[in-house]
């Protein structure tokens, strides 16, 4: 049996907990963190707490000061113990626990932490590179909510359906101006003329935790990184493309259309990531 933590209470994962009035269900009124547990410890807790607190502030959800790194570690490690899991993927959903229509009656926080056990005690680069294409049907808007992992995820759902229908491994998303934004569930990095490029936060991508970590690792290893506005045409010229997120680490892309990529830089970055 799998357990979850719902508002501080550990209960079986199949427990019926949400009423039809729940604002996360009704309006997507909330945000979430995808995290990774390795050897019983939460990875990058400080970065997750910082992003979560800033996101809750932006959404005007009360109680953000409670969601510090210590609290996240406690929640994660307690739930892992209960589920007898040493390595796991975690999803913490924070929602506005209130009544009301579009206008909430209050801004109290509610939360739920879920856990999925995994076998891997470290990050592994995918052995088979991803085959990708661009999802153009629904460009992502650029505003102050774009960098937050909100519960309103319809753009990613439609991208996922497109991916499945076209038998792709993953898709690139563009922003409202037609520039490269991110992938379906990851940030994007492009290795071009011995320099690393990634879409700037102003381009509307999620402010990924692994994105921050990889930028830091690259700079420490004398690899130049530029956060920029990126024309998707660069994908035809690039030597290497890879994706990053907190649960999988780094994933290399093998192909986009007829273009094929190397994976030398991504291999090096994964090695450095596992040293942390």
């Amino acid at each position: 049996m799998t357990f979850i933590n719902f508002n501080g209470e550990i209960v079986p994962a199949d427990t019926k907990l949400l009423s039809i009035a729940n604002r996360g269900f009704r309006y997507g009124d909330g945000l979430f963190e995808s995290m990774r547990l390795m050897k019983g410890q939460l990875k990058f807790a400080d970065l997750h707490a910082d992003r979560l607190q800033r996101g809750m502030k932006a959404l005007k959800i009360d109680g953000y000061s409670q969601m510090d790194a210590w609290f996240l570690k406690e929640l994660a490690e307690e739930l892992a113990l209960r589920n007898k899991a040493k390595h796991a993927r975690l999803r913490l959903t924070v929602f506005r626990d209130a009544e009301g229509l579009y206008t909430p009656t209050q801004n109290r926080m509610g939360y739920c932490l879920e856990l999925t056990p995994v076998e891997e005690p470290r990050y592994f680069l995918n052995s088979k590179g991803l085959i990708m294409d661009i999802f153009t049907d629904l460009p992502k808007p650029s505003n102050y909510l774009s960098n937050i992992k909100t519960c309103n995820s319809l753009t990613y759902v439609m991208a996922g359906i497109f991916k499945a229908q076209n038998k792709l491994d993953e898709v690139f998303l563009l922003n409202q101006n037609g520039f490269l934004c991110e992938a379906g569930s990851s940030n994007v990095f492009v290795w071009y003329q011995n320099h690393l490029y990634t879409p700037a936060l102003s381009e509307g991508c999620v402010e990924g935790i692994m994105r921050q970590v990889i930028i830091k690792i690259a700079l420490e290893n004398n690899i130049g990184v530029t956060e920029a506005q990126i024309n998707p045409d660069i994908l035809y010229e690039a030597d290497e493309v890879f994706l990053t997120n907190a649960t999988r680490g780094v994933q290399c892309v093998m192909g986009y259309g007829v273009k094929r990529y190397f994976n030398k830089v991504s291999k090096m970055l994964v090695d450095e990531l596992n040293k942390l």
Side-chain angles (χ1 to χ4, degrees):
M1 184 187 283
T2 309
F3 293 92
I4 62 171
N5 183 322
F6 189 79
N7 285 334
E9 191 182 346
I10 292 183
V11 295
D14 57 1
T15 309
K16 303 288 184 284
L17 294 162
L18 299 185
S19 80
I20 202 157
N22 179 276
R23 296 187 65 85
F25 164 71
R26 274 199 168 180
Y27 305 118
D29 187 3
L31 71 169
F32 66 97
E33 283 290 316
S34 304
M35 303 177 285
R36 185 75 182 260
L37 186 90
M38 287 186 189
K39 298 173 185 170
Q41 293 192 315
L42 184 62
K43 299 291 287 180
F44 310 116
D46 292 343
L47 296 177
H48 282 294
D50 178 60
R51 180 173 72 170
L52 181 60
Q53 289 179 328
R54 284 186 286 113
M56 288 173 70
K57 266 189 206 176
L59 295 182
K60 298 180 167 41
I61 296 176
D62 295 340
Y64 55 80
S65 59
Q66 184 187 341
M67 288 289 178
D68 60 12
W70 182 86
F71 186 70
L72 291 188
K73 279 183 194 167
E74 285 281 297
L75 281 184
E77 288 160 23
E78 180 190 28
L79 192 61
L81 209 60
R82 191 66 190 269
N83 282 292
K84 300 183 174 68
K86 272 193 169 169
H87 322 297
R89 291 179 181 158
L90 296 158
R91 177 183 159 125
L92 175 67
T93 307
V94 175
F95 55 91
R96 200 183 318 267
D97 195 3
E99 294 178 354
L101 300 175
Y102 284 137
T103 308
T105 53
Q106 59 180 0
N107 294 304
R108 187 176 66 199
M109 163 188 75
Y111 68 86
C112 179
L113 181 64
E114 304 162 74
L115 178 148
T116 307
V118 295
E119 294 300 316
E120 302 97 10
R122 61 191 190 90
Y123 294 104
F124 289 95
L125 190 67
N126 48 321
S127 53
K128 184 179 174 289
L130 307 174
I131 298 295
M132 296 184 63
D133 202 351
I134 296 177
F135 173 64
T136 56
D137 295 358
L138 204 57
K140 192 177 173 191
S142 302
N143 56 49
Y144 77 92
L145 294 182
S146 306
N147 305 142
I148 302 169
K149 292 182 74 160
T150 71
C151 292
N152 184 345
S153 303
L154 277 175
T155 302
Y156 305 107
V157 173
M158 300 315 293
I161 292 170
F162 173 86
K163 175 183 78 173
Q165 287 175 339
N166 290 277
K167 296 181 170 56
L168 298 162
D169 297 312
E170 185 53 287
V171 289
F172 297 109
L173 302 183
L174 303 179
N175 65 18
Q176 63 199 22
N177 301 313
F179 292 103
L180 198 58
C181 182
E182 58 195 3
S185 60
S186 312
N187 290 109
V188 178
F189 284 83
V190 178
W191 179 245
Y192 173 68
Q193 294 185 347
N194 293 321
H195 194 89
L196 206 50
Y197 295 89
T198 191
L201 296 179
S202 55
E203 295 301 295
C205 62
V206 165
E207 188 182 356
I209 297 304
M210 193 53 65
R211 176 184 181 275
Q212 294 178 51
V213 172
I214 290 300
I215 289 172
K216 187 167 183 282
I217 289 174
L219 293 173
E220 285 169 355
N221 285 274
N222 300 315
I223 294 172
V225 184
T226 302
E227 298 178 59
Q229 188 177 72
I230 301 175
N231 189 310
D233 288 347
I234 199 176
L235 296 171
Y236 293 115
E237 308 294 328
D239 297 308
E240 189 168 340
V241 177
F242 59 87
L243 312 181
T244 64
N245 70 30
T247 54
R248 292 197 193 99
V250 178
Q251 289 193 295
C252 62
V253 178
M254 180 168 73
Y256 163 67
V258 295
K259 176 72 180 175
R260 291 296 176 266
Y261 303 111
F262 301 109
N263 63 2
K264 196 173 81 175
V265 179
S266 45
K267 267 182 181 160
M268 184 278 282
L269 290 168
V270 169
D271 288 343
E272 292 300 316
L273 176 62
N274 280 314
K275 287 177 190 173
L276 295 179

